[in-house]
Amino acid sequence: MINARGVRPRIGVIGGSGLYDLDMLDDVESIELDTPYGSPSGSITIGTLRGTRLAFLPRHGLGHRLSPSEVPARANIYALCELGVRRVFAISAVGGLAERYAPGTLVVPDQIVDRTKGLRPATFFGGGVVAHVSMADPFCQRQREHLIAAAKSAGHTDVIDGATYCCIEGPQFSTRAESHLYRSWGLDIIGMTAVPEAALAREAQLCYAGLALVTDYDCWHENEETVTADMVAQTMRRNVRAAREVLEEAVATLDPSGDCECRHALTGAVLTDPTLIAPDRPDSPGPPSC
Ligand SMILES: [Zn+2]
């Protein structure tokens, strides 16, 4: 049998609240990495899932020690790229802002509204280099379709295709007035981590799709309990089994070698005169070269 160790993982999984490890991996190794943007959330587990090598990173660190505002998203994306990852599945716990997003529902969002407070480093550029990537469609459409098909194959036929993810700063949950406001805007689910992770994945020219697992109804629902951390944790434990089933199917059937427009996201995006870009910029190392 060929030892899978040494094969570069092309697929990355970022685990959210409740998903801190993937217990179905073989040939597991744990890697500590440092990046020009600091250390990622924790050690990265590389393992084999049904013949495919993948890298797993728990977004909030082992033991859930990093708040959403503290997640080192630049280091996380950079580290996954360095390992060879080209496609990322991002798992997250969210609240439902409409009746159809009931606890236990699986959602593959297609849009994001940023309600964070601008405190999170959100670009690999700056420091003399200006780039504007398109975020019109913040998730990789091909990978979204793949994830939806995988969820259905895994028996989760009621997976919801498309939703607008409202990303708040946290760590507190919304006020009731905010929750009603987001609903009035037509936003569908609410979480704390898609920003700036999705934008950084785009700047790194990765394919990135999210699997959101609904744990609660936030605080707008008149007939349901207002969200608490304990409620999120309890429902997430049940949701984690579903997330693992979907991931197993998604990873086993994904061809990580194919081209995608995400791989060319930086084409034409840098507006800075190239003759003015210093080759060595220790204060602004730029995006990873995946
Ligand atoms: Zn893509």
Side-chain angles (χ1 to χ4, degrees), residues 232-243:
V232 169
Q234 280 188 32
T235 315
M236 196 62 201
R237 274 194 285 278
R238 291 203 298 275
N239 286 353
V240 158
R241 191 191 322 155

Side-chain angles (χ1 to χ4, degrees), residues 87 139-143 202 206-208 259-263:
R87 294 174 188 272
F139 299 100
C140 171
Q141 179 57 18
R142 290 173 48 173
Q143 198 159 308
R202 180 61 49 81
L206 297 175
C207 291
Y208 176 93
D259 197 13
C260 184
E261 61 184 306
C262 308
R263 303 284 306 137

Side-chain angles (χ1 to χ4, degrees), residues 158-202:
D158 51 359
V159 59
I160 295 181
D161 174 1
T164 299
Y165 179 124
C166 173
C167 188
I168 62 169
E169 183 67 43
Q172 300 84 5
F173 295 115
S174 305
T175 66
R176 216 177 296 282
E178 287 165 340
S179 198
H180 286 301
L181 180 66
Y182 302 144
R183 276 167 51 73
S184 77
W185 289 350
L187 311 185
D188 300 309
I189 53 177
I190 184 163
M192 301 180 187
T193 55
V195 176
E197 196 174 88
L200 294 168
R202 180 61 49 81

